[in-house]
Amino acid sequence: MPSLKTFRLRIRSVQSTQKITKAMKMVAAAKLRRAQEQATAARPYAEAMDKILASLGASFKGGTGPKLLAGTGSDKVHLVIVATGDRGLCGGFNSTIVREARRLIRALTAEGKTVKIFAVGRKGRDQLRRDFGPMIVETMTD
């Protein structure tokens, strides 16, 4: 049977681990809050950029101008950009993104459209390679 000293040592060890874990949670919460604030602050710029690109695209509808802005008038080929993380340990973040990408890809192929995939991040690339390997045209990591 373990001694009283062994129990006290074990209790101190667990308490020390709890303190470290609590500090790590506080740091992670602060980083998350900062990232959310930055994303919220960037929203007006993204909306303004969306309006600018929409007006540029509308001004080139007659077929003049760059094809990237004017388009070809055909929607037979779709590029799906899947942005995930390079590492795990982020809960359901990567798997939720990949699940939605799979749903979208299957829906587009069911409509008879050609789908090309641009995978950003190692986790998304690895998961999509199993089902849609030939459709992946480019990947980017780090």
Side-chain angles (χ1 to χ4, degrees):
M1 176 153 181
S3 67
L4 186 59
K5 185 176 181 180
T6 308
F7 282 131
R8 284 187 183 151
L9 197 79
R10 177 72 174 151
I11 289 170
R12 262 192 238 126
S13 172
V14 169
Q15 288 173 341
S16 157
T17 304
Q18 286 175 337
K19 287 179 186 176
I20 293 169
T21 305
K22 185 177 178 183
M24 290 171 69
K25 283 182 182 179
M26 289 171 48
V27 169
K31 286 182 179 180
L32 177 64
R33 187 176 62 251
R34 192 176 321 120
Q36 286 175 335
E37 289 170 357
Q38 289 173 344
T40 304
R43 188 169 291 143
Y45 299 106
E47 290 171 355
M49 183 61 75
D50 189 38
K51 289 179 185 176
I52 290 169
L53 290 175
S55 67
L56 275 174
S59 67
F60 290 126
K61 282 286 187 204
T64 61
K67 287 203 185 252
L68 184 62
L69 290 176
T72 60
S74 172
D75 67 343
K76 294 178 183 171
V77 179
H78 289 259
L79 176 67
V80 178
I81 301 172
V82 183
T84 60
D86 284 332
R87 299 186 186 128
L89 299 175
C90 53
F93 175 75
N94 293 324
S95 51
T96 302
I97 291 172
V98 171
R99 184 180 325 115
E100 184 62 24
R102 280 188 179 128
R103 187 199 60 74
L104 177 64
I105 293 165
R106 287 188 179 117
L108 289 171
T109 53
E111 293 174 12
K113 314 240 175 175
T114 304
V115 178
K116 296 181 180 184
I117 302 170
F118 180 74
V120 179
R122 205 171 281 130
K123 291 294 182 178
R125 177 198 65 197
D126 293 344
Q127 290 183 30
L128 289 173
R129 187 181 286 161
R130 292 181 210 132
D131 295 332
F132 308 108
M135 294 181 186
I136 297 176
V137 292
E138 187 67 41
T139 63
M140 179 185 288
T141 58
D142 296 327

